[in-house]
Amino acid sequence: MGDEQMRIGVLTGGGDCPGLNAVIRGVVRKGVETHGWDVLGFRNGWQGPIEGLTKPIGLADVEDILTRGGTILGSSRTNPYKVEGGVEAIRKTLKEHGVDALIAIGGEDTLGVAKRLTDDGIGVVGVPKTIDNDLGATDYTFGFDTAVHIATEAIDRLRTTAESHHRALVVEVMGRHAGWIALHSGLAGGANVILVPEREFDVDQVVTWVERRFEKQYAPIIVVAEGAIPQGGAEVLHSGEKDAFGHVRLGGVGTWLAEEIAQRTGKESRAVVLGHVQRGGIPTAYDRVLATRFGLHAVDAVADGDFGVMVALKGTDIVRVKLSEATAELKTVPLERYQEAEVFFG
C-alpha cells in the first residue's frame, strides 16, 4: 500500500498475557515513525469494533508500556459471529473511523475471527498471542516464556516448603489442551512428575513415582496442566460455564490429585493452583523482543496489503503464514517430547 496516509486499527482479544503492550508499541512506533499513519486502538477485543469503543494511540501513549503486563487496550472473549449483526457493526465502525486495516493480536479464537473477517472482505493481519504456545503455525508465541518463568519460580519456591514439611506438592498450571507450560516449567523446576493433557495419566503410576521419591527422603513435586485427564476419567471442571467460543472453564485437577495421593500414600499432600498469576506481571526479555518484532512485521504486512496472514516465528525469522494455516490445528506436545522428560520422574 506504500506510505500513503492510512489509519490502522489494533486490538487485543482473548486472555491477557505479558507482551501485548510491546506489540502495540511496535505497531505504533513503526506505523507512525516509518509510514506516518494514524493508529486507532479498539478497546476490549472484538467488542471494540462492534460497539465503537476506541482509543487513539500516539507515540506518547506507548513511550513507557514496553515493560507493562496486560494490555492498555483491554481484552474480552467477545465473538462477533455470536453477536447479532456483529460483523456488520464492525464494517460500520471501521468506515465511520476511516480505518483501512486491522491488526488483531490474539490466540486461536481471536485469530479464527480474524480469518473469517478476512473471508468476509475486511483486511486483517494477525499476531499470535497465547501463554499456552499452542498455535501450530509459529514456533513460539509471546507470553509463553514469561508464563514458564513464573511457573518455574513458583516450583522453586514450593520445593523448599515441601522439603521442610516432608509433603507432596501438586502444582496446577494453565494448559487446556496443550501441556507446553507444564512440560517446560516442570523440566526447568526439576519436577518429579509432569502430567499433560495430551496423555492420560495413570493415578497408580503417579503414586508409585511419589512413593519412590519419599523413599529417597525427598519431597515429591508434581506439575499438572489444568486439562490433564486421568485414565478413564474426564477433565475436572471448575464450573460448567462456557465462554463465547464454547470453551468450558477448567481447573480442579490439582486439588483432586493431591487428595488421591494423600489417601493412597498416607502422606501429607497439598495442591497449589497458579492460575492467572501466570498471565500477569512484567514480560521476560525474550517475550519483549519477540512481541516487538511481531508488531513491526505486522505493520510491514499491512504496508504490503498482505491481509489474511499472521506473522509467525520460524527458527529465528519472522515470516507470514495464512490465517487459515495458523488456526487449522493446535500445536500439542508430541509423545517423544514428553517421553524425554519421563527419565526424571520419581
Side-chain angles (χ1 to χ4, degrees), residues 254-273:
T255 300
W256 176 85
L257 183 58
E259 292 172 353
E260 287 289 317
I261 291 171
Q263 291 175 4
R264 297 185 187 213
T265 66
K267 300 285 189 178
E268 191 176 1
S269 182
R270 293 285 189 274
V272 177
V273 180

Side-chain angles (χ1 to χ4, degrees), residues 148-164:
V148 169
H149 180 82
I150 292 168
T152 302
E153 183 180 10
I155 294 167
D156 291 343
R157 292 177 181 275
L158 290 168
R159 180 177 301 283
T160 59
T161 184
E163 296 287 359
S164 297

